[in-house]
Amino acid sequence: MTERNDADLGDRFHALRREDAATAPRFDATLAAARARAAAPARRRARWLAVATVLVAGVALVLLVMRPDRRGRTIGLASVRWNGPTDFLLVLPGDELLRTVPNVGRMRPSILPGLPGAGFTTTDSDRRTP
Amino acid sequence: MSPEALELELARLHPAAFGWAIACCPGDRAAAEDALQASYLKILDGRARFAGRASFRTWLFAVVRNTAAELRRRAAWRRLLPLAALGDAPDGRPDAATVLARADGTRRLVAALATLPRRQREVLHLVFYQDLTITEAADVAGVSLGTARTHYERGKAALRKLLKEDRQ
């Protein structure tokens, strides 16, 4: 059964081979066309080179157009704030005292919370009502 | 091998090589002719050299197969890039003239073969059309003997089934 089927397939392929052989181009024509192809690569290479050049030029142009202009740009120094890694060393306990002017005759309970009477001392300004 | 002897061998095997080229470029006669011309050029230029490790026919078929694959890849790149206008980029489909020129039985066979995986199709063609042994078919297809045998058996079963379905 299998051999008969194989023979059947073989017959079909042989029919295909006969058809192909009948329509095959002649050998010398194929060889002549092959030799003519040999002359073509220089032209084809030049064409590819031209295409590659155009592509590279296009990409370069797009990059030039889309690149931000660095020459006209200025940096706003007022908006720049740099925090050094050792900035925390400059923070002192109670440095608020160094930045404010003490008010003579007035005691601020928030600064000296441990003193006796803190929070009860009043100044004239504390007595004011809105 | 001298150039004259090469040409004589190529002329002797030309019809078989053309049939194989058509099998490598399924149904596309123009692509097959291109592949054959490029293969002959490679051989006559000395870019493909016959080392005598296999028979000349097996070696020629391997050159045609590799050249057809190269051309197919190149055509795929051309289709991918918008460069089709620069040259002919075959789309790998069978051309209508070739299909119409075939008799009914062979047209059915070609249609059934076209649905098989490439390796199976190649091995079946080499064995049934070119009358090569499975070992020689394995050499041409660049696969091991075991792999070629598997492709042969599976391909044959699938082809029989397809032809039977087509008959019903």
Side-chain angles (χ1 to χ4, degrees), chain A residues 2 5-6 8-10 12-17 19-21 23-27 30-31 33-35 37-38 44 47-48 51, chain B residues 7 10-11 14 18 29 33-34 37-38 40-41 44 83 86 102-103 105-106 109-110 113 128-129 131 152 156 159-160 163 167:
Chain A
T2 308
N5 281 338
D6 280 3
D8 180 44
L9 280 183
R12 283 170 181 269
F13 273 99
H14 287 167
L16 182 65
R17 185 168 70 185
E19 269 186 23
D20 286 346
T23 60
R26 283 178 34 238
F27 173 70
T30 307
L31 202 59
R35 287 191 170 131
R37 284 171 81 106
R44 216 178 306 150
R47 201 167 56 183
W48 276 101
V51 171
Chain B
E7 273 196 43
L10 290 177
H14 178 66
F18 179 68
R29 197 188 156 90
E33 283 181 23
D34 272 357
Q37 287 169 16
Y40 287 173
L41 203 59
L44 296 172
L83 300 176
L86 292 171
R102 295 211 180 280
T106 48
L109 175 65
V110 169
L113 279 172
F128 286 109
Y129 183 112
D131 295 325
Y152 171 73
K156 213 165 59 169
L159 189 60
R160 268 198 212 114
L163 290 173
R167 208 177 295 150

Side-chain angles (χ1 to χ4, degrees), chain A:
Chain A
M1 179 70 183
T2 308
E3 277 179 12
R4 195 174 62 78
N5 281 338
D6 280 3
D8 180 44
L9 280 183
D11 288 346
R12 283 170 181 269
F13 273 99
H14 287 167
L16 182 65
R17 185 168 70 185
R18 278 193 300 276
E19 269 186 23
D20 286 346
T23 60
R26 283 178 34 238
F27 173 70
D28 46 0
T30 307
L31 202 59
R35 287 191 170 131
R37 284 171 81 106
R43 220 177 328 140
R44 216 178 306 150
R45 208 173 300 141
R47 201 167 56 183
W48 276 101
L49 200 66
V51 171
T53 310
V54 168
L55 281 177
V56 168
V59 169
L61 195 70
V62 167
L63 286 178
L64 275 175
V65 168
M66 299 201 35
R67 202 177 66 158
D69 187 13
R70 284 165 190 258
R71 275 175 300 178
R73 213 166 72 180
T74 54
I75 299 170
L77 287 174
S79 64
V80 176
R81 181 180 165 80
W82 181 74
N83 289 321
T86 53
D87 273 3
F88 70 95
L89 294 173
L90 300 174
V91 180
L92 301 170
D95 63 348
E96 197 183 325
L97 275 173
L98 300 173
R99 278 184 303 212
T100 53
V101 180
N103 206 342
V104 179
R106 180 181 170 192
M107 191 176 283
R108 295 185 66 175
S110 60
I111 296 171
L112 301 166
L115 289 178
F120 298 101
T121 310
T122 58
T123 60
D124 290 342
S125 59
D126 289 333
R127 283 194 202 113
R128 283 189 201 135
T129 52

Side-chain angles (χ1 to χ4, degrees), chain B residues 94-122:
Chain B
D95 53 313
T98 308
V99 173
L100 282 174
R102 295 211 180 280
D104 195 42
T106 48
R107 198 184 303 161
R108 257 183 262 145
L109 175 65
V110 169
L113 279 172
T115 61
L116 296 184
R118 178 180 297 279
R119 291 275 194 208
Q120 289 181 12
R121 194 170 60 226
E122 284 178 353

Side-chain angles (χ1 to χ4, degrees), chain B:
Chain B
M1 204 181 255
S2 70
E4 292 79 23
L6 262 180
E7 273 196 43
L8 277 177
E9 276 296 295
L10 290 177
R12 190 175 65 81
L13 293 169
H14 178 66
F18 179 68
W20 174 233
I22 283 207
C24 292
C25 315
D28 192 341
R29 197 188 156 90
E33 283 181 23
D34 272 357
L36 205 56
Q37 287 169 16
S39 305
Y40 287 173
L41 203 59
K42 267 188 194 173
I43 292 167
L44 296 172
D45 281 357
R47 279 178 287 147
R49 282 177 194 277
F50 177 54
R53 280 194 294 269
S55 74
F56 187 81
R57 185 164 65 149
T58 311
W59 173 76
L60 172 63
F61 284 3
V63 172
V64 171
R65 181 183 179 275
N66 293 340
T67 308
E70 267 170 37
L71 294 182
R72 219 171 24 244
R73 275 196 295 272
R74 218 174 287 166
W77 272 108
R78 278 192 202 166
R79 280 199 302 277
L80 200 67
L81 299 170
L83 300 176
L86 292 171
D88 292 336
D91 57 5
R93 288 178 302 179
D95 53 313
T98 308
V99 173
L100 282 174
R102 295 211 180 280
D104 195 42
T106 48
R107 198 184 303 161
R108 257 183 262 145
L109 175 65
V110 169
L113 279 172
T115 61
L116 296 184
R118 178 180 297 279
R119 291 275 194 208
Q120 289 181 12
R121 194 170 60 226
E122 284 178 353
V123 172
L124 288 182
H125 176 96
L126 290 166
V127 172
F128 286 109
Y129 183 112
Q130 304 287 356
D131 295 325
L132 296 187
T133 62
I134 298 183
T135 312
E136 287 171 325
D139 278 348
V140 174
V143 295
S144 70
L145 177 59
T147 308
R149 198 167 281 149
T150 307
H151 287 312
Y152 171 73
E153 292 298 340
R154 286 186 185 163
K156 213 165 59 169
L159 189 60
R160 268 198 212 114
K161 195 177 162 206
L162 285 166
L163 290 173
K164 199 175 161 189
E165 280 169 7
D166 192 45
R167 208 177 295 150
Q168 284 165 357

